[in-house]
Amino acid sequence: MPVFNQSRQTVIRLIILATFVILIVRLFILQILSPQYQIQAIDNAVDRKIIYPDRGIIFDRNGKAILENTLTHDLMILPTQLKGIDTIGLCGIMGIDTAEFKQRLVAAIIKNGRYRPSVFEASLSMDKFVKLQENIYRFEPGFYLQDRPIRSYPYKAAAHLLGYIGEVDSSILKRTNYFYQIGDYMGLSGIERFYEPVLMGTRGVRYQIKDNKNRIVGSFENGLYDTTAQAGRNLRTYIDMDIQVMAEKFMQNKLGAVVAIEPKTGGIIAMASGPTYDPNLLTGSQRRRNFSWLLTDTARPLFNRAIKGQYPPGSTIKPTQALIALDEGVITPRYGIGCNGAYYGCRRPIKCTEKWSGHAANLRLAIAHSCNSFFSNVYRLAVDNPAYKNVDEGYAHWKNYMNSFGFGVRLGVDLPSEDDGLIVDTSFYNKLYNNSWNSCTNVFLGIGQGEMQATPLQMANMMCIIANKGYYYTPHFVDSIDGKGAGDSILNPFHVRHEVTHIPDSIYEIVQLGMQDVIENGTGRVARIPGISIAGKTGTAENYGIINGKREKLEDHSWFVCFAPRENPKIAIAVIVENAGFGATWAGPIAALMMEKYLNDTLRTERLAEVERIAEKEIILPVVKQKRMRLDSIRRVRLALEMGDSSALHNAIPAAPDKPEIDPNIRKDKTIPVIKNSTLPLRDTPKPADKKNDSIKAVAILRKDEGTES
């Protein structure tokens, strides 16, 4: 053979050898060194199932479970495994069409990618779950059922306190550095969110072997790699569920809030915001729909007015002004003024409710009869104190007092999103009045008006400070955590005693006696309870709103704050009812009934009728009520259309309302009358002749309110 041919054969052999070497090396890398195909093989042969833990239970102060866990079932989708799926059969069971199926599929891919499971439908109804359980083999491996514990609320109460849970989204995943996984649920509001690390528990994982037909045939490696789910820890709270339910009953037809605190510990006994909602609405398959409707409600039931509602405190702030003035030395307990119905010390007269001579002859009388003249003058004496160089410095000291009492700052309650109210600083007035202002400029601060806003929680905490004669614990719900370990520090801030100021006990005693006079012979006599000494203060806060683009004077807000018994305080309460007039009219009776129930564990027989009278009274501005009724009509029309129920649809369309009846008890100088009839009358029995046009009429209503052209 020629040398040339031998050389060419050698080259070819070397090329073939090199090719084989490359292939062998590549196969070695793929099969031995690279985990990619090993993972895929395991995924094909091993089923990985997440075991979700039960969240911790929350108990009230009497050991009652105020929320519980119940089991629900999610239908999960794995987009990469959808080949050969009986789509039509699945749509029939789920009650959707193919367009909706494609929409959910795309949403799942966008949300979590093609290779990870996503929730196709959460919290299946029992009917759907049973049908799917019988037929799930037809839709595997693209679909499977996932068990999940969800919350249930046996008392249907305390929604704002307890909060709700929901599935984590991409923003939460990033914020937590992917500690959570897609499909996990976490607390999104209330106690559920604040104590999420305690309540959440730990996920478990179970690995099972699948055969070539994707059927489970046994445990993988005898469960060597399985992990057990660990339930979250339970919370023991200060909440008294009987008092909580009573407070929510009082506020069901009103806007406002109630806060009750145990002064010695800062433990919150009850916190109600009106209107509220059934927390069970935000669980189950209808959660999204219900949440959207709650968001559109003009009365804002999702808004916790107890920690976020900011109101002028009105006359309830006067005991605080007395404490400041006494401590500053600008008045004594015997200090008094002559008042015949108004204060004329500044350019604008400030009117008083009382006009008889002598109602402000000393501090106790002035507190008992809530004299505006007295406390306007007291405020001016405090900020014009000769001990300070000018009004700027005097006001700054006054503001420091107010901040130390918890106004204009966040208290740190164990709920997210607490607001801090408003106490402006001197820069506000310097800018607004070009550095030219004096104590008459903001004299209304002395009677809780002007540039001052407080939350109901802050007012209840103020009562704790006066009850304790100068200290408080940060208001909080949770008393203890079951199985609390040495590393737990979440409750530590609530065990710190906050000394407010250097004001001596003797000054607090004087103010307490004045507040007791309020109940016994002053403006708060409506709150008297036989055998119990109560210290309290009424408040009627002026209220303005924007109606049809104009600033209008509305009904005053009704305030009442108190604590009892005065000598050994066990409960402090703040109540506000928006647009309800005098403090003694509605807020006072609410606080009195709650105190009696809590302190005596029962109500006198003659007081039971008062509970129903207050609960049934509706106090909501007509403009808010009319919008709520309109939205409720739209909601009922939508549900009837979706159900295809012609009778329900017919009844969902309201008849024309009668002319509103004006309550003759409303004072003539108020611009907004209160409408008595609370709901629009509905047709009684559907008429066959009317059913034909119901759907057209319903769609017309929806389009009109949603701004859709017909």
Side-chain angles (χ1 to χ4, degrees):
M1 179 180 296
V3 175
F4 175 77
N5 289 338
Q6 290 180 352
S7 176
R8 187 168 59 181
Q9 288 178 358
T10 302
V11 171
I12 293 173
R13 289 192 183 101
L14 290 174
I15 292 174
I16 294 173
L17 180 61
T19 302
F20 273 105
V21 170
I22 292 172
L23 289 174
I24 291 171
V25 170
R26 183 58 180 163
L27 287 172
F28 177 81
I29 292 173
L30 291 176
Q31 295 188 28
I32 306 301
L33 301 182
S34 175
Q36 178 182 358
Y37 293 99
Q38 182 181 4
I39 292 173
Q40 289 185 6
I42 292 175
D43 285 343
N44 289 331
V46 178
D47 176 70
R48 181 178 183 269
K49 185 175 183 179
I50 300 294
I51 308 299
Y52 290 99
D54 287 342
R55 290 178 68 85
I57 305 299
I58 301 177
F59 297 91
D60 82 343
R61 68 191 303 122
N62 299 313
K64 300 175 184 176
I66 55 182
L67 61 69
E68 300 170 341
N69 291 312
T70 187
L71 193 64
T72 189
H73 312 279
D74 298 343
L75 180 62
M76 308 296 292
I77 181 174
L78 192 57
T80 56
Q81 302 292 326
L82 290 182
K83 294 180 180 179
I85 294 294
D86 182 5
T87 304
I88 302 299
L90 181 66
C91 289
I93 293 175
M94 301 302 295
I96 60 176
D97 55 23
T98 54
E100 173 72 11
F101 177 90
K102 292 178 181 177
Q103 184 179 352
R104 294 190 186 187
L105 173 60
V106 171
I109 293 173
I110 292 174
K111 180 179 180 180
N112 203 24
R114 294 178 177 273
Y115 300 97
R116 294 177 181 172
S118 299
V119 177
F120 188 78
E121 182 167 324
S123 299
L124 296 165
S125 66
M126 185 54 64
D127 180 59
K128 289 182 180 178
F129 171 68
V130 171
K131 291 179 180 178
L132 283 170
Q133 198 172 34
E134 294 174 351
N135 295 276
I136 195 65
Y137 69 92
R138 296 164 52 193
F139 315 121
E140 292 177 339
F143 289 91
Y144 64 92
L145 293 170
Q146 173 75 62
D147 296 340
R148 183 191 305 279
I150 60 170
R151 296 303 213 183
S152 64
Y153 305 85
Y155 291 92
K156 300 181 180 180
H160 293 104
L161 321 184
L162 300 175
Y164 54 87
I165 62 174
E167 187 179 357
V168 299
D169 57 22
S170 57
S171 63
I172 294 175
L173 293 177
K174 293 178 182 177
R175 190 168 66 246
T176 61
N177 197 26
Y178 294 91
F179 173 79
Y180 293 94
Q181 300 176 8
I182 289 293
D184 285 353
Y185 277 54
M186 68 172 290
L188 298 180
S189 70
I191 293 174
E192 291 274 24
R193 178 175 175 182
F194 192 92
Y195 291 97
E196 169 68 12
V198 176
L199 292 168
M200 64 179 293
T202 305
R203 291 184 300 266
V205 182
R206 181 185 303 153
Y207 296 96
Q208 295 175 303
I209 299 174
K210 299 181 289 186
D211 64 12
N212 60 344
K213 294 184 178 180
N214 210 50
R215 295 174 298 190
I216 301 297
V217 295
S219 175
F220 177 69
E221 296 290 340
N222 294 320
L224 178 63
Y225 300 102
D226 294 353
T227 58
T228 304
Q230 296 181 4
R233 288 182 288 166
N234 302 332
L235 302 180
R236 308 284 171 171
T237 72
Y238 292 97
I239 299 170
D240 187 314
M241 209 57 194
D242 292 337
I243 304 300
Q244 178 69 32
V245 170
M246 174 184 276
E248 293 191 14
K249 182 176 182 177
F250 288 142
M251 300 304 297
Q252 63 186 353
N253 294 317
K254 304 168 186 68
L255 305 182
V258 178
V259 179
I261 304 177
E262 186 177 74
K264 299 299 182 184
T265 63
I268 299 176
I269 299 167
M271 178 185 285
S273 176
T276 186
Y277 60 94
D278 181 352
N280 290 295
L281 291 174
L282 298 185
T283 63
S285 58
Q286 299 300 312
R287 176 183 177 275
R288 290 174 182 256
R289 181 208 300 272
N290 294 334
F291 190 84
S292 66
W293 281 111
L294 289 171
L295 281 176
T296 59
D297 190 333
T298 52
R300 304 171 72 189
L302 291 171
F303 183 72
N304 187 354
R305 289 171 167 83
I307 63 171
K308 297 190 71 63
Q310 302 189 50
Y311 308 92
S315 294
T316 57
I317 206 68
K318 290 174 181 176
T320 310
Q321 306 296 358
L323 288 169
I324 296 172
L326 287 168
D327 191 51
E328 288 284 273
V330 296
I331 66 169
T332 67
R334 295 187 178 87
Y335 176 81
I337 64 172
C339 175
N340 294 315
Y343 177 70
Y344 296 99
C346 294
R347 184 166 57 89
R348 295 166 293 177
I350 300 175
K351 295 182 179 180
C352 294
T353 302
E354 301 289 351
K355 296 179 174 57
W356 55 278
S357 178
H359 73 272
N362 58 53
L363 177 60
R364 284 181 62 172
L365 283 170
I367 293 176
H369 299 289
S370 197
C371 180
N372 285 342
S373 296
F374 184 93
F375 287 98
S376 297
N377 192 59
V378 161
Y379 168 77
R380 294 192 64 202
L381 291 173
V383 298
D384 289 336
N385 189 341
Y388 306 122
K389 297 178 182 178
N390 50 44
V391 69
D392 286 56
E393 187 175 333
Y395 178 85
H397 277 79
W398 177 86
K399 180 180 181 296
N400 288 337
Y401 272 106
M402 295 299 290
N403 291 156
S404 69
F405 284 125
F407 297 109
V409 295
R410 293 179 182 175
L411 294 174
V413 65
D414 48 352
L415 292 177
S417 304
E418 176 196 2
D419 281 355
D420 54 7
L422 177 67
I423 301 290
V424 300
D425 57 23
T426 55
S427 63
F428 174 85
Y429 295 111
N430 289 332
K431 183 177 181 180
L432 187 63
Y433 297 104
N434 196 24
N435 296 312
S436 179
W437 59 281
N438 56 40
S439 59
C440 277
T441 304
N442 53 21
V443 65
F444 290 100
L445 294 175
I447 58 173
Q449 299 286 164
E451 298 78 27
M452 180 187 296
Q453 302 282 316
T455 67
L457 177 66
Q458 290 173 335
M459 296 307 303
N461 188 65
M462 181 66 229
M463 288 300 99
C464 291
I465 294 172
I466 297 178
N468 294 333
K469 297 182 179 178
Y471 72 89
Y472 73 95
Y473 290 93
T474 300
H476 58 289
F477 292 96
V478 176
D479 178 21
S480 63
I481 302 171
D482 285 1
K484 183 177 183 293
D488 286 338
S489 59
I490 196 167
L491 293 179
N492 289 352
F494 307 119
H495 298 152
V496 177
R497 173 168 159 158
H498 300 280
E499 299 289 344
V500 176
T501 64
H502 56 278
I503 300 176
D505 288 359
S506 58
I507 289 180
Y508 279 103
E509 184 72 19
I510 294 166
V511 172
Q512 283 189 8
L513 290 172
M515 294 175 67
Q516 186 171 348
D517 291 342
V518 170
I519 307 300
E520 294 181 356
N521 50 50
T523 59
R525 293 187 297 274
V526 68
R528 286 181 292 190
I529 302 174
I532 298 176
S533 60
I534 302 169
K537 186 69 190 75
T538 56
T540 306
E542 289 191 351
N543 174 34
Y544 292 85
I546 305 300
I547 305 295
N548 296 325
K550 296 181 180 179
R551 187 173 185 265
E552 301 271 4
K553 176 71 169 66
L554 307 179
E555 278 288 327
D556 297 333
H557 295 323
S558 175
W559 271 106
F560 193 84
V561 295
C562 60
F563 59 88
R566 187 187 73 79
E567 300 82 1
N568 182 28
K570 296 179 180 178
I571 185 171
I573 298 180
V575 180
I576 183 170
V577 184
E578 297 182 21
N579 314 297
F582 292 113
T585 305
W586 294 106
I590 290 173
L593 288 165
M594 290 180 60
M595 281 190 296
E596 182 174 351
K597 173 66 175 175
Y598 182 75
L599 295 174
N600 294 340
D601 199 33
T602 186
L603 292 175
R604 289 164 286 159
T605 304
E606 63 269 25
R607 297 288 282 166
L608 298 179
E610 180 73 350
V611 173
E612 299 305 319
R613 182 187 75 87
I614 295 174
E616 292 171 3
K617 178 65 177 179
E618 182 183 66
I619 308 175
I620 297 179
L621 285 178
V623 64
V624 175
K625 183 170 68 174
Q626 289 165 5
K627 289 181 179 180
R628 291 190 84 194
M629 289 189 295
R630 190 64 177 172
L631 285 168
D632 186 60
S633 296
I634 295 172
R635 180 180 63 82
R636 286 185 280 121
V637 167
R638 279 193 180 279
L639 290 175
L641 285 172
E642 291 176 5
M643 292 166 54
D645 188 337
S646 59
S647 296
L649 176 60
H650 183 87
N651 287 326
I653 303 173
D658 296 330
K659 185 176 180 180
E661 179 185 354
I662 305 301
D663 190 336
N665 296 320
I666 299 300
R667 298 198 296 272
K668 292 181 180 180
D669 61 331
K670 300 302 175 182
T671 58
I672 304 297
V674 173
I675 301 176
K676 276 188 175 179
N677 42 321
S678 61
T679 56
L680 295 177
L682 301 178
R683 295 190 179 98
D684 296 327
T685 305
K687 300 177 182 179
D690 293 335
K691 288 184 179 180
K692 182 177 180 180
N693 296 319
D694 279 342
S695 294
I696 298 174
K697 192 183 296 185
V699 173
I701 290 174
L702 293 174
R703 287 180 173 174
K704 179 180 178 182
D705 280 83
E706 294 177 352
T708 305
E709 295 182 359
S710 58

